[in-house]
């Protein structure tokens, strides 16, 4: 669950990367939104970026009419290799170009279901669609193409007729959690916490397997600029309040719980550990190490 910031739509960056990652790996997607035309949101999903190695290996002879998809996508969309194997383990694409939209054929010919929450008086239709969707995702092998993704934007938005039905929304979250746990699907729900009563907000947070929040930072905060290195490049802050630990009582211990959200070259979303500026006010070292929501000690971009 992602707690939104009412002053900035930074949660949409997370949703876009989450949805694009699933689509390029041929995973089924269910997207629910309070917008009247949620399918139009698919046109704003980012396209995967090409790595430096792939750019150097690009050969003009292979860019002919018979190559239906770009060279930088072959790593993820080959007809024979739908997964990337590194060390015997499936690897996901994590870098996306926010300025380049995902090509239409990635979400037009797949199992992509879009639902508008605005015209629904309650959450029964959404729950039924989620049940049908999760029933088709078997929890058997480790093939990443067999996984499914559910993305629900602004669950308690005022545009929805059920935004004030606290118990109904709480029951929906509990039911969805059971569906996801018993299937091969994963769900991400964003919601504005300011519209949820404090008592129910605690219940929502308790039901979440992984709980994060995003917060925008002021453009001109001189005090914060003195404390943080690379403040001018930051879009906002991402805080990890809770990390999924299934079937165990051992808590997850993260190297960091607060990350800065940045746009690398104004193109790709990057999360980095906060790096405190030197006391003497000098420029200091670089931005610090990148972090992962999974708590891995391996340095790298965010693994959605």
């Amino acid at each position: 669950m992602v707690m939104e910031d009412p002053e900035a739509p930074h949660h949409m960056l997370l949703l876009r990367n989450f949805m694009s990652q699933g689509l390029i790996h041929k995973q089924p997607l269910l997207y629910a939104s309070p917008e009247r035309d949620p399918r139009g949101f698919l046109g704003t999903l980012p396209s995967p970026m090409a790595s430096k190695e792939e750019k150097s290996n690009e050969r003009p002879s292979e860019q002919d009419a018979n190559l239906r998809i770009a060279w930088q996508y072959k790593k993820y969309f080959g007809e024979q290799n739908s997964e990337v194997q590194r060390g015997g383990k499936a690897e996901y694409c994590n870098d996306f170009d926010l300025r380049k939209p995902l090509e239409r054929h990635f979400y037009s010919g797949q199992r992509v279901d879009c639902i508008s929450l605005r015209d629904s008086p309650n959450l029964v239709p959404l729950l039924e669609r989620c049940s049908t969707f999760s029933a088709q995702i078997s929890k058997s092998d480790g093939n990443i193409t067999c996984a499914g993704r559910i993305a629900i934007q602004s669950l308690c938005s005022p545009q929805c007729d059920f935004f004030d039905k606290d118990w109904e929304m709480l029951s929906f979250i509990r039911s969805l959690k059971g569906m996801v746990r018993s299937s091969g699907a994963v769900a991400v729900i964003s919601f504005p916490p300011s519209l949820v009563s404090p008592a129910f907000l605690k219940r929502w947070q308790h039901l979440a397997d992984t709980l994060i929040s995003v917060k925008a930072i002021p453009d001109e905060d001189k005090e914060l600029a003195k404390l943080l290195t690379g403040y001018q490049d930051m879009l906002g802050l991402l805080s990890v309040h809770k990390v999924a630990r299934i079937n165990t009582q051992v808590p997850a211990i993260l190297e960091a719980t607060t990350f800065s959200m940045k746009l690398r070259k104004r193109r790709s979303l990057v999360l980095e550990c906060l790096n405190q500026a030197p006391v003497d006010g000098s420029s200091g070292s670089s931005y610090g190490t990148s972090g992962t929501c999974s708590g891995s000690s391996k340095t790298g971009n965010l693994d959605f």
Side-chain angles (χ1 to χ4, degrees), residues 240-269:
V240 182
H241 304 278
K242 186 179 177 182
V243 176
R245 298 289 287 174
I246 308 300
N247 300 328
T248 180
Q249 294 182 345
V250 180
I253 301 177
L254 303 180
E255 296 180 356
T257 57
T258 303
F259 300 86
S260 62
M261 302 177 65
K262 300 179 180 180
L263 286 181
R264 181 196 298 156
K265 298 181 180 179
R266 299 184 180 274
R267 299 180 66 180
S268 60
L269 176 65

Side-chain angles (χ1 to χ4, degrees), residues 97-121:
D97 189 346
L98 297 174
R99 297 188 302 181
K100 185 178 180 180
L102 191 66
E103 295 185 16
R104 183 181 296 271
H105 66 86
F106 288 127
Y107 54 84
S108 60
Q110 300 186 31
R111 290 182 292 171
V112 179
D113 193 5
C114 296
I115 308 170
S116 176
L117 303 178
R118 177 170 298 192
D119 299 330
S120 178

Side-chain angles (χ1 to χ4, degrees), residues 186-197:
V186 61
V188 171
I189 301 177
S190 70
F191 68 96
S194 59
L195 299 181
V196 183
S197 62

Side-chain angles (χ1 to χ4, degrees), residues 259-286:
F259 300 86
S260 62
M261 302 177 65
K262 300 179 180 180
L263 286 181
R264 181 196 298 156
K265 298 181 180 179
R266 299 184 180 274
R267 299 180 66 180
S268 60
L269 176 65
V270 177
L271 300 186
E272 296 177 340
C273 296
L274 288 181
N275 190 22
Q276 186 173 0
V279 179
D280 58 2
S282 60
S283 59
S285 60
S286 60

Side-chain angles (χ1 to χ4, degrees), residues 1-300:
M1 301 189 74
V2 182
M3 293 188 288
E4 305 173 2
D5 185 352
E7 298 181 359
H10 293 335
H11 63 282
M12 301 300 291
L13 295 175
L14 303 180
L15 282 179
R16 285 189 174 97
N17 281 30
F18 171 75
M19 295 168 63
S20 290
Q21 187 184 65
L23 289 176
I24 66 175
H25 289 285
K26 303 179 182 179
Q27 295 176 342
L29 172 67
L30 174 64
Y31 172 62
S33 168
E35 300 295 332
R36 293 194 180 277
D37 183 21
R39 184 164 288 274
F41 180 72
L42 300 179
T44 67
L45 299 182
S47 176
M49 295 185 64
S51 65
K52 294 182 179 179
E53 296 179 358
E54 291 166 335
K55 289 181 179 179
S56 61
N57 293 333
E58 191 170 358
R59 291 175 292 183
S61 61
E62 294 187 9
Q63 295 182 347
D64 52 16
N66 296 328
L67 190 60
R68 291 177 294 178
I69 52 181
W71 169 269
Q72 60 264 32
Y73 299 149
K74 288 188 66 177
K75 179 179 178 182
Y76 306 103
F77 310 115
E79 294 183 359
Q80 302 298 329
N81 299 320
S82 59
E83 303 176 17
V84 181
Q85 299 291 336
R86 180 169 297 181
K89 195 173 183 179
E91 182 178 297
Y92 286 98
C93 170
N94 294 314
D95 295 325
F96 297 91
D97 189 346
L98 297 174
R99 297 188 302 181
K100 185 178 180 180
L102 191 66
E103 295 185 16
R104 183 181 296 271
H105 66 86
F106 288 127
Y107 54 84
S108 60
Q110 300 186 31
R111 290 182 292 171
V112 179
D113 193 5
C114 296
I115 308 170
S116 176
L117 303 178
R118 177 170 298 192
D119 299 330
S120 178
N122 52 53
L123 284 165
V124 174
L126 178 59
L127 186 62
E128 292 177 350
R129 300 278 281 272
C130 291
S131 177
T132 304
F133 179 85
S134 59
Q136 299 173 353
I137 311 299
S138 60
K139 193 175 182 179
S140 54
D141 53 17
N143 189 346
I144 63 176
T145 60
C146 295
R149 303 197 179 205
I150 301 174
I152 302 177
Q153 174 197 344
S154 303
L155 180 60
C156 58
S157 173
Q159 290 92 335
C160 305
D161 294 339
F162 52 80
F163 80 97
D164 57 345
K165 299 179 181 179
D166 295 328
W167 284 110
E168 182 177 347
M169 290 187 290
L170 186 68
S171 177
F172 167 79
I173 297 174
R174 185 183 294 110
S175 300
L176 179 62
K177 181 176 181 178
M179 295 176 188
V180 170
R181 190 68 60 84
S182 60
S183 67
V186 61
V188 171
I189 301 177
S190 70
F191 68 96
S194 59
L195 299 181
V196 183
S197 62
F200 280 92
L201 180 60
K202 291 294 184 181
R203 292 183 171 96
W204 284 38
Q205 295 173 347
H206 178 72
L207 285 176
D209 290 323
T210 298
L211 179 67
I212 62 177
S213 64
V214 290
K215 182 177 178 60
I217 57 176
D219 294 334
E220 299 293 338
D221 192 332
K222 297 182 179 180
E223 295 298 327
L224 193 59
K226 294 179 180 179
L227 294 175
L228 301 177
T229 302
Y231 170 80
Q232 300 298 331
D233 299 329
M234 295 182 186
L235 292 177
L237 300 176
L238 183 144
S239 300
V240 182
H241 304 278
K242 186 179 177 182
V243 176
R245 298 289 287 174
I246 308 300
N247 300 328
T248 180
Q249 294 182 345
V250 180
I253 301 177
L254 303 180
E255 296 180 356
T257 57
T258 303
F259 300 86
S260 62
M261 302 177 65
K262 300 179 180 180
L263 286 181
R264 181 196 298 156
K265 298 181 180 179
R266 299 184 180 274
R267 299 180 66 180
S268 60
L269 176 65
V270 177
L271 300 186
E272 296 177 340
C273 296
L274 288 181
N275 190 22
Q276 186 173 0
V279 179
D280 58 2
S282 60
S283 59
S285 60
S286 60
Y287 299 139
T289 58
S290 300
T292 63
C293 277
S294 59
S296 171
S297 59
K298 180 182 177 181
T299 301

